[in-house]
Each structure stands twice: as structure tokens, then as C-alpha cells.
Amino acid sequence: MNANKNEVRLHIQSLSKCYGTKYALNNVSLRANAGEVIAVLGKNGAGKTSLINSILGMHNYQAESVEILGTTFHDRHRPTSIRQRIGVMMQLGTLNANLTVAEQLDLFCSYYQNGATAAELINEFELSPIANQRFGKLSGGQRQQVLFAISVAGNPSLLFLDEPTVGMDVEARHILWQQIQQRRAQGCAILLTTHYIEEAQRLADRVAILRAGQIIAEGTVSEIIADHESLEAAYLHLIQEPAHV
Ligand SMILES: Nc1ncnc2c1ncn2[C@@H]1O[C@H](COP(=O)(O)OP(=O)(O)OP(=O)(O)O)[C@@H](O)[C@H]1O
């Protein structure tokens, strides 16, 4: 995949999402270029999953503009031509627990015109030991590995990873980090949500911190750290709610 690092793959401006009368996202703006990992950090309920779901058009939202892979969207419909170029790894996959790993991969690979084959994914992600196991019988970490393989089945130009390493042991987490870095090196733009500060520090070109639906800080890891002693210290400081006078 050839990619120009100045190529904007995702650009949202002033995106808001309400559930009933409650704002889950309030005027969120974000950009991701080719070959860039953006980590979105925030407490439980800060709005991270709502952000991904809004970008994917999985529910209604309001926005000044949403540009995905060079196309500006005025409603939540995302045509097949765009969906073919997007990969998604959500927190809880709604995968059929009775299908084997190989069958799952086959199914997802069949959705993509220019994607990988199941055999290629099994080989790339070293899934042969579990290829014939039913998805429902896998450990949490193994499921995450399969969900990641599925998310890149279409060789996406834009990849959304919602807490991709939850439940993984240290070794599996490091392997997944390498795989994310490889995709970035190939030019994929990646939006990653995580509760693991170390993950953001290792992977992210830029970090955005969401607090109660608003981006309260955005920049490179060193910009966010600024005069704090670590990214964790900066994060803990930033997510404090302002004192009400
Ligand atoms: N379908 C829904 N209906 C009503 N409220 C919702 C719905 N989905 C999310 N919310 C609310 O919107 C807010 C943001 O939720 P969201 O799941 O986007 O947060 P998050 O940052 O992904 O959280 P976590 O880290 O726990 O996954 C929360 O207050 C949540 O309760």
C-alpha cells in the first residue's frame, strides 16, 4: 500500500451525538492521515465508542462535516465503495459463536473485493492452532486476535480499533502492537481507543483525550505530556473535572 503521509483519511469537524437529551459527544473534531495512529483516551462513558459508531454511520449524529477517505458525508449512509476500504475491530464482536475461526475468516474475506483470503490471514496471524475451533470456545485473548485479523481482512486504508488488546496476555499484546505498527508502516490510518496509557504511548502519533464527550487535549505524546512527568500523569491531571465554583 503506497501512502502519502499528508493524505487525510479521516477528518471530522464539530461532531455531536445525543442519546435522548444527553450529549455523548459534543463538538468533537479529529483528523487522521495515512500512516498515522490516533489514540483516543478517556474514562468509561467518555464517548469513545460513540465516536467510532458515529463515524461509521451506525447511528444518527450531527456534524459540521465528516470526511472519510476523501468523500464528505452529509448523512449516515456509507456506500459499499467506502466500507470496502474501512476495517473495524469493535469491543464485542457480534460473531456467530458456532462458526470455527476458519469459517469466520472465510465469511469476512468474502465481503471484500480486494481483501486477503482466510488462508493468508491464518498464516499472517499464526492462527492455525485455533483455526478449527469454534469462536465461542476461544479465550478472550484469542477472540481479540481473531477480531483483529477480521478487521484487516479487506486491507483497509482506515482502521478503527476499539480497545483492541483488552483481555490479552503480555505476549499477545506485544504481537498485536507489532501488527498495528506494520499496518501503519503500510500507510493505514488507524483510530484506536484504549484504557492502556502504555499502549497509547507506544503506538500513537497523536493522542486525543475525551472527557464527557469533549476533546480536552490533542497532540503528540510529548505535547500532551508537556511539563508532567509521564503521559499517565498528564492524562490523570487532564481528565479531572473542573472544580465548580
Ligand atoms: N445506546 C445508548 N443509549 C443511551 N446512552 C448511551 C448509549 N450508548 C452509549 N450511551 C451513553 O453515552 C455515553 C458514552 O458512551 P460510550 O460507550 O461512547 O463511552 P466509552 O468512552 O466508549 O466508554 P467505555 O470506555 O466504557 O467503553 C455514556 O454516558 C453512555 O452511557
Side-chain angles (χ1 to χ4, degrees):
M1 199 188 302
N2 291 321
N4 172 356
K5 293 218 166 194
N6 295 320
E7 184 191 327
V8 179
R9 295 272 170 91
L10 173 70
H11 192 191
I12 59 174
Q13 289 179 282
S14 297
L15 188 148
S16 298
K17 167 68 190 166
C18 287
Y19 296 105
T21 54
K22 181 175 182 290
Y23 272 93
L25 296 168
N26 196 345
N27 283 323
V28 169
S29 297
L30 206 62
R31 199 194 68 229
N33 284 5
E36 206 173 31
V37 176
I38 312 299
V40 180
L41 300 178
K43 288 189 203 182
N44 290 127
K48 303 179 296 298
T49 303
S50 299
L51 176 62
I52 293 182
N53 285 341
S54 300
I55 296 167
L56 294 174
M58 290 170 74
H59 54 209
N60 289 322
Y61 58 83
Q62 300 79 47
E64 203 175 293
S65 83
V66 173
E67 185 192 319
I68 303 170
L69 299 170
T71 302
T72 301
F73 292 96
H74 301 288
D75 59 30
R76 72 188 186 96
H77 175 66
R78 307 288 180 256
T80 308
S81 56
I82 291 291
R83 282 189 276 125
Q84 285 278 320
R85 298 177 59 205
I86 293 178
V88 185
M89 177 179 174
M90 298 307 279
Q91 277 178 41
L92 290 174
T94 50
L95 297 190
N96 184 331
N98 290 318
L99 291 185
T100 67
V101 169
E103 288 166 343
Q104 297 283 8
L105 293 174
D106 245 342
L107 182 66
F108 279 89
C109 289
S110 72
Y111 296 157
Y112 296 103
Q113 280 157 11
N114 299 311
T117 63
E120 284 166 346
L121 293 174
I122 287 169
N123 186 36
E124 180 179 354
F125 296 104
E126 299 178 8
L127 297 172
S128 47
I130 56 168
N132 294 317
Q133 283 186 36
R134 294 188 195 285
F135 187 76
K137 301 274 181 198
L138 300 179
S139 73
Q142 288 171 329
R143 286 182 200 194
Q144 293 295 98
Q145 286 172 325
V146 173
L147 289 171
F148 182 75
I150 287 172
S151 77
V152 297
N155 290 321
S157 305
L158 177 60
L159 179 60
F160 295 91
L161 303 174
D162 198 4
E163 301 186 28
T165 61
V166 164
M168 284 188 154
D169 64 35
V170 176
E171 192 190 358
R173 180 170 295 168
H174 278 257
I175 291 170
L176 194 81
W177 286 348
Q178 282 170 14
Q179 288 160 348
I180 293 171
Q181 282 164 331
Q182 271 170 22
R183 294 284 156 172
R184 171 178 54 190
Q186 290 165 4
C188 189
I190 299 169
L191 194 148
L192 161 99
T193 75
T194 184
H195 287 291
Y196 300 122
I197 303 291
E198 186 196 353
E199 184 159 284
Q201 186 140 18
R202 291 245 185 160
L203 297 177
D205 297 288
R206 283 185 294 118
V207 174
I209 298 179
L210 259 184
R211 186 183 68 202
Q214 289 185 298
I215 294 201
I216 50 156
E218 199 266 338
T220 62
V221 170
S222 44
E223 283 167 352
I224 300 282
I225 292 176
D227 46 6
H228 295 274
E229 62 186 36
S230 65
L231 183 58
E232 185 162 279
Y235 171 75
L236 289 172
H237 174 77
L238 287 163
I239 58 159
Q240 296 307 314
E241 299 290 335
H244 295 289
V245 187

